Amino acid sequence: YKVNGGTLANLSEDVVYGSYFKPATPAKRGYTFGGWYYDTGKGYDEEYCNDYYGIADNVTLVARWNVISYDVVYNLGGGINGKNPTKYTVEDNFALADSVKTGYTFLGWSTSSSATSASYVGGNTINISSNTTLYAVWKKNPVATPTVQIRNNPGTRTIKYGEILVLTADVSNIPEGARIS
């Protein structure tokens, strides 16, 4: 048997001339078994997939594989990202792109909707073997709380983000050319 990247417990069998046998079924991650084919040295001829095969000579059987296509759904959680593929096979090799969301830092992707850390980060190559939903993992950016201090005036006053603070100053006694900031 030539398993073409698959696995099979025994790669050869002794079968009595003139008897019938059923070839074993190999396995390969990400593929379905497409049958055994007779190796003529010029390509694959006859299919010997699911039936019993009569032995009249030494033969080499070659496994044929059909790649499985998986769906990948991206839950962006309010973010924007259109660069990641929605179909994936084990033959594909792509790196996940980052997502963007105003006011948040993108931490990466997770297979859990409640994740606080990422299983995959942007640029990682993904390797899945079933239909999968990936969830964007976000960290809220801190909102700056500005502090204003007026010199020659004791203390500070904290204002909330977006609050309007009106300052007035008497500039009548400032020397000419002085910088006010």
Side-chain angles (χ1 to χ4, degrees), residues 1 3 8-10 13 21-27 33 35-36 48-49 61:
Y1 296 108
V3 291
L8 186 63
N10 295 314
E13 281 187 64
F21 84 105
K22 182 173 176 110
T25 302
F33 179 57
W36 289 111
Y48 300 105
C49 184
L61 298 179

Side-chain angles (χ1 to χ4, degrees), residues 54-118:
I55 292 295
D57 201 351
N58 290 333
V59 295
T60 299
L61 298 179
V62 180
R64 185 169 295 166
W65 300 104
N66 301 312
V67 69
I68 300 170
S69 178
Y70 303 111
D71 293 323
V72 183
V73 175
Y74 301 92
N75 185 317
L76 301 175
I80 300 169
N81 182 305
K83 298 177 184 176
N84 291 319
T86 58
K87 291 283 186 190
Y88 175 80
T89 72
V90 294
E91 294 178 348
D92 294 331
N93 187 15
F94 68 93
L96 288 169
D98 286 348
S99 192
V100 177
K101 183 176 178 181
T102 303
Y104 291 82
T105 298
F106 178 70
L107 299 179
W109 299 99
S110 176
T111 55
S112 170
S113 62
S114 60
T116 56
S117 63

Side-chain angles (χ1 to χ4, degrees), residues 14-28:
D14 290 329
V15 179
V16 176
Y17 175 83
S19 66
Y20 287 87
F21 84 105
K22 182 173 176 110
T25 302
K28 186 175 182 181

Side-chain angles (χ1 to χ4, degrees), residues 37-172:
Y37 292 81
Y38 177 64
D39 186 357
T40 64
K42 300 176 189 171
Y44 308 126
D45 272 359
E46 304 173 40
E47 180 178 347
Y48 300 105
C49 184
N50 295 316
D51 295 323
Y52 284 87
Y53 175 65
I55 292 295
D57 201 351
N58 290 333
V59 295
T60 299
L61 298 179
V62 180
R64 185 169 295 166
W65 300 104
N66 301 312
V67 69
I68 300 170
S69 178
Y70 303 111
D71 293 323
V72 183
V73 175
Y74 301 92
N75 185 317
L76 301 175
I80 300 169
N81 182 305
K83 298 177 184 176
N84 291 319
T86 58
K87 291 283 186 190
Y88 175 80
T89 72
V90 294
E91 294 178 348
D92 294 331
N93 187 15
F94 68 93
L96 288 169
D98 286 348
S99 192
V100 177
K101 183 176 178 181
T102 303
Y104 291 82
T105 298
F106 178 70
L107 299 179
W109 299 99
S110 176
T111 55
S112 170
S113 62
S114 60
T116 56
S117 63
S119 305
Y120 308 99
V121 295
N124 280 160
T125 300
I126 187 170
N127 189 359
I128 61 171
S129 58
S130 64
N131 293 335
T132 302
T133 298
L134 294 176
Y135 298 88
V137 181
W138 301 104
K139 179 180 176 187
K140 187 161 180 57
N141 294 338
V143 177
T145 305
T147 300
V148 177
Q149 181 178 14
I150 302 171
R151 290 183 189 182
N152 298 324
N153 189 3
T156 60
R157 177 175 173 211
T158 301
I159 61 171
K160 294 179 184 172
Y161 181 76
E163 180 181 349
I164 297 174
L165 178 64
V166 178
L167 299 175
T168 58
D170 179 3
V171 293
S172 59

